Amino acid sequence: MTGIKKTFYFVLFVAMLCMACDQDTGQTPEVEEPHDQEVDFLFGADLSYLNQILDHGGIYSVGGEQQDPYRIFAEAGTQLARFRIWHNPLWTAEIYGRETPLYNDLEDVESSIGKAKSEGMEILLDFHYSDVWADPGRQEIPAAWREIESLEVLQDSIYQYTYKTLKYLGSKGLFPEYVQIGNETNCGMFFTDAPENFPKLNVCEGNWQNFKSVAKAAVNAVHDAAGHSEIKVIFHVADPENLDWWFENFTGSPNEVDFDIIGFSYYPLWHTAISLTQLESAVSRIKSRFAKDIMMLETAYPWTLEGNDDYTNIFGGQAPLPGFPYTIEGQREIMVSMSESMINAGGLGIIYWEPGWISSDMKDLWGTGSSWENCAFFDFEGNLHEGADYVNLLNNKYKINP
């Protein structure tokens, strides 16, 4: 046999041996080795409904054993608790036919922050600057401010309210680590049913300078209330496809606003302009372009099509995304996917919206129970399910250093 043939058969033998080594042996594949590099990243949850649910019969359990939900979330790896605050939400008591207690007002938020901090969580306080929900299409003026007619008075009102709220929380040892100025302010604030003489803050109609002047007053109040304490200020827009336009206008001169974090909502069943596979590059590009930290402030995904009460669910009518069925495993895996995209893009964190909104006798403006129980991290018996395990999976893979 010539040397060439010997070499050929030897190479063929090695190749066949390697192919045999690669065949399925029936053993479980090895888990990917953990990354050596430490990662600064926050796993968060919006827990704004917890107090109201507990007051109205909601029960949370782990393995069939009833437990405090704040502790459940902390032990599941939640590092950051987000709470919304409304100016004077009288309706949250009126829907029960009474005058008190209110929910998501200062007193309720004080209670929530205290419980979350006692479990070791940091706090993100979300100022809606409204008596009710604020979102891209709804930015209602607080009833107490509807008679305002000058921009200067509005600036002072938002400054005083923000400052007094934070100073009060600080006096109780409950100062938040993060403050969000407005909620999903895609078109600005205070434009829903605004009186004719109310200052114009709808940025979709070009009123950027008015909006920025009011935003600046709120940011000044945050820093004045914090004193020398470190605090991060966030502005929040729904759907990452809007980030370029919004922050290009918001960060431009004149009247530049000082802030730290770009926040966005990303519900992949709704916000389809940027797909899951495009999320990492989109976030990385925005972070680089504006030289700001970036955080996903809201997201969610269903684990079932079923419901646990008569309140129609918000999600479930849409087709599931490819590779992510409406199962507990599908919910967990999409959270792993989005979290890894944020981590790889250099994002600061990811917050799941209302993972504790289980069925109970709780009421809101549209129904009794929950329109979100099929997106929660609890089954219909109130037990924590494995959808929440994405945090532990990623903590095992990455050296998370909050």
Side-chain angles (χ1 to χ4, degrees), residues 314-332:
I314 295 172
F315 282 135
Q318 309 90 340
L321 297 176
F324 302 102
Y326 292 153
T327 62
I328 290 174
E329 293 76 14
Q331 183 193 58
R332 183 184 64 223

mmCIF file of all heavy atoms in Angstrom, residues 314-332:
data_model
loop_
_atom_site.group_PDB
_atom_site.id
_atom_site.type_symbol
_atom_site.label_atom_id
_atom_site.label_comp_id
_atom_site.label_asym_id
_atom_site.label_seq_id
_atom_site.Cartn_x
_atom_site.Cartn_y
_atom_site.Cartn_z
ATOM 1 N N ILE A 314 -56.356 39.078 28.155
ATOM 2 C CA ILE A 314 -55.816 39.987 27.150
ATOM 3 C C ILE A 314 -55.046 39.227 26.086
ATOM 4 O O ILE A 314 -55.169 39.486 24.890
ATOM 5 C CB ILE A 314 -54.933 41.052 27.821
ATOM 6 C CG1 ILE A 314 -55.784 41.944 28.733
ATOM 7 C CG2 ILE A 314 -54.195 41.897 26.777
ATOM 8 C CD1 ILE A 314 -54.979 42.898 29.593
ATOM 9 N N PHE A 315 -54.235 38.268 26.511
ATOM 10 C CA PHE A 315 -53.451 37.454 25.579
ATOM 11 C C PHE A 315 -54.040 36.053 25.478
ATOM 12 O O PHE A 315 -54.590 35.529 26.451
ATOM 13 C CB PHE A 315 -51.997 37.340 26.051
ATOM 14 C CG PHE A 315 -51.162 38.559 25.764
ATOM 15 C CD1 PHE A 315 -50.329 39.072 26.737
ATOM 16 C CD2 PHE A 315 -51.194 39.182 24.529
ATOM 17 C CE1 PHE A 315 -49.542 40.185 26.487
ATOM 18 C CE2 PHE A 315 -50.415 40.296 24.268
ATOM 19 C CZ PHE A 315 -49.583 40.794 25.250
ATOM 20 N N GLY A 316 -53.853 35.441 24.332
ATOM 21 C CA GLY A 316 -54.322 34.080 24.122
ATOM 22 C C GLY A 316 -55.050 33.917 22.805
ATOM 23 O O GLY A 316 -55.111 32.819 22.255
ATOM 24 N N GLY A 317 -55.608 35.009 22.276
ATOM 25 C CA GLY A 317 -56.289 34.932 20.994
ATOM 26 C C GLY A 317 -55.333 34.932 19.820
ATOM 27 O O GLY A 317 -55.679 34.516 18.715
ATOM 28 N N GLN A 318 -54.113 35.399 20.048
ATOM 29 C CA GLN A 318 -53.114 35.448 18.983
ATOM 30 C C GLN A 318 -52.449 34.072 18.823
ATOM 31 O O GLN A 318 -52.380 33.278 19.763
ATOM 32 C CB GLN A 318 -52.032 36.488 19.303
ATOM 33 C CG GLN A 318 -52.566 37.852 19.673
ATOM 34 C CD GLN A 318 -52.825 38.026 21.166
ATOM 35 O OE1 GLN A 318 -52.964 37.061 21.901
ATOM 36 N NE2 GLN A 318 -52.912 39.268 21.607
ATOM 37 N N ALA A 319 -51.916 33.812 17.636
ATOM 38 C CA ALA A 319 -51.156 32.591 17.428
ATOM 39 C C ALA A 319 -49.839 32.684 18.198
ATOM 40 O O ALA A 319 -49.224 33.757 18.251
ATOM 41 C CB ALA A 319 -50.877 32.388 15.945
ATOM 42 N N PRO A 320 -49.386 31.580 18.805
ATOM 43 C CA PRO A 320 -48.097 31.634 19.507
ATOM 44 C C PRO A 320 -46.955 31.871 18.540
ATOM 45 O O PRO A 320 -47.051 31.560 17.344
ATOM 46 C CB PRO A 320 -48.002 30.257 20.170
ATOM 47 C CG PRO A 320 -48.868 29.373 19.347
ATOM 48 C CD PRO A 320 -49.995 30.240 18.855
ATOM 49 N N LEU A 321 -45.881 32.426 19.035
ATOM 50 C CA LEU A 321 -44.706 32.646 18.206
ATOM 51 C C LEU A 321 -44.016 31.313 17.918
ATOM 52 O O LEU A 321 -43.999 30.417 18.772
ATOM 53 C CB LEU A 321 -43.736 33.594 18.916
ATOM 54 C CG LEU A 321 -44.271 35.003 19.169
ATOM 55 C CD1 LEU A 321 -43.266 35.822 19.965
ATOM 56 C CD2 LEU A 321 -44.594 35.708 17.852
ATOM 57 N N PRO A 322 -43.443 31.153 16.742
ATOM 58 C CA PRO A 322 -42.792 29.888 16.388
ATOM 59 C C PRO A 322 -41.723 29.502 17.410
ATOM 60 O O PRO A 322 -40.870 30.317 17.766
ATOM 61 C CB PRO A 322 -42.164 30.184 15.028
ATOM 62 C CG PRO A 322 -42.986 31.291 14.455
ATOM 63 C CD PRO A 322 -43.405 32.133 15.635
ATOM 64 N N GLY A 323 -41.812 28.263 17.894
ATOM 65 C CA GLY A 323 -40.845 27.776 18.865
ATOM 66 C C GLY A 323 -41.198 28.055 20.303
ATOM 67 O O GLY A 323 -40.515 27.590 21.209
ATOM 68 N N PHE A 324 -42.281 28.818 20.514
ATOM 69 C CA PHE A 324 -42.668 29.181 21.879
ATOM 70 C C PHE A 324 -44.173 28.934 22.070
ATOM 71 O O PHE A 324 -44.979 29.867 22.000
ATOM 72 C CB PHE A 324 -42.315 30.638 22.174
ATOM 73 C CG PHE A 324 -40.851 30.945 22.001
ATOM 74 C CD1 PHE A 324 -40.407 31.596 20.858
ATOM 75 C CD2 PHE A 324 -39.924 30.543 22.945
ATOM 76 C CE1 PHE A 324 -39.062 31.880 20.680
ATOM 77 C CE2 PHE A 324 -38.572 30.813 22.776
ATOM 78 C CZ PHE A 324 -38.138 31.478 21.641
ATOM 79 N N PRO A 325 -44.541 27.681 22.290
ATOM 80 C CA PRO A 325 -45.967 27.364 22.469
ATOM 81 C C PRO A 325 -46.501 27.973 23.760
ATOM 82 O O PRO A 325 -45.749 28.389 24.638
ATOM 83 C CB PRO A 325 -45.957 25.825 22.538
ATOM 84 C CG PRO A 325 -44.596 25.477 23.052
ATOM 85 C CD PRO A 325 -43.673 26.510 22.468
ATOM 86 N N TYR A 326 -47.825 28.028 23.859
ATOM 87 C CA TYR A 326 -48.459 28.528 25.075
ATOM 88 C C TYR A 326 -48.469 27.426 26.134
ATOM 89 O O TYR A 326 -49.493 26.834 26.456
ATOM 90 C CB TYR A 326 -49.873 29.007 24.786
ATOM 91 C CG TYR A 326 -49.956 30.249 23.926
ATOM 92 C CD1 TYR A 326 -51.076 30.480 23.131
ATOM 93 C CD2 TYR A 326 -48.939 31.189 23.911
ATOM 94 C CE1 TYR A 326 -51.167 31.627 22.356
ATOM 95 C CE2 TYR A 326 -49.016 32.327 23.137
ATOM 96 C CZ TYR A 326 -50.140 32.545 22.356
ATOM 97 O OH TYR A 326 -50.236 33.682 21.588
ATOM 98 N N THR A 327 -47.278 27.173 26.651
ATOM 99 C CA THR A 327 -47.073 26.204 27.726
ATOM 100 C C THR A 327 -46.157 26.841 28.756
ATOM 101 O O THR A 327 -45.536 27.883 28.494
ATOM 102 C CB THR A 327 -46.417 24.910 27.210
ATOM 103 O OG1 THR A 327 -45.114 25.236 26.674
ATOM 104 C CG2 THR A 327 -47.265 24.253 26.112
ATOM 105 N N ILE A 328 -46.045 26.214 29.906
ATOM 106 C CA ILE A 328 -45.121 26.718 30.925
ATOM 107 C C ILE A 328 -43.700 26.724 30.366
ATOM 108 O O ILE A 328 -42.936 27.693 30.557
ATOM 109 C CB ILE A 328 -45.219 25.874 32.206
ATOM 110 C CG1 ILE A 328 -46.569 26.123 32.895
ATOM 111 C CG2 ILE A 328 -44.069 26.178 33.157
ATOM 112 C CD1 ILE A 328 -46.839 25.229 34.082
ATOM 113 N N GLU A 329 -43.345 25.652 29.650
ATOM 114 C CA GLU A 329 -41.999 25.584 29.073
ATOM 115 C C GLU A 329 -41.808 26.665 28.014
ATOM 116 O O GLU A 329 -40.735 27.284 27.921
ATOM 117 C CB GLU A 329 -41.763 24.194 28.460
ATOM 118 C CG GLU A 329 -41.713 23.057 29.464
ATOM 119 C CD GLU A 329 -43.097 22.654 29.975
ATOM 120 O OE1 GLU A 329 -44.122 23.064 29.354
ATOM 121 O OE2 GLU A 329 -43.159 21.938 30.998
ATOM 122 N N GLY A 330 -42.865 26.913 27.204
ATOM 123 C CA GLY A 330 -42.763 27.958 26.182
ATOM 124 C C GLY A 330 -42.603 29.331 26.794
ATOM 125 O O GLY A 330 -41.825 30.157 26.307
ATOM 126 N N GLN A 331 -43.318 29.597 27.880
ATOM 127 C CA GLN A 331 -43.182 30.873 28.576
ATOM 128 C C GLN A 331 -41.766 31.021 29.134
ATOM 129 O O GLN A 331 -41.138 32.082 28.997
ATOM 130 C CB GLN A 331 -44.198 30.958 29.706
ATOM 131 C CG GLN A 331 -44.181 32.290 30.451
ATOM 132 C CD GLN A 331 -44.966 32.243 31.744
ATOM 133 O OE1 GLN A 331 -44.686 31.429 32.627
ATOM 134 N NE2 GLN A 331 -45.971 33.113 31.871
ATOM 135 N N ARG A 332 -41.274 29.956 29.758
ATOM 136 C CA ARG A 332 -39.925 30.019 30.330
ATOM 137 C C ARG A 332 -38.875 30.243 29.246
ATOM 138 O O ARG A 332 -37.961 31.063 29.403
ATOM 139 C CB ARG A 332 -39.635 28.722 31.088
ATOM 140 C CG ARG A 332 -38.268 28.711 31.786
ATOM 141 C CD ARG A 332 -38.009 27.367 32.433
ATOM 142 N NE ARG A 332 -37.917 26.320 31.421
ATOM 143 C CZ ARG A 332 -38.484 25.113 31.536
ATOM 144 N NH1 ARG A 332 -39.197 24.809 32.600
ATOM 145 N NH2 ARG A 332 -38.332 24.210 30.576
#
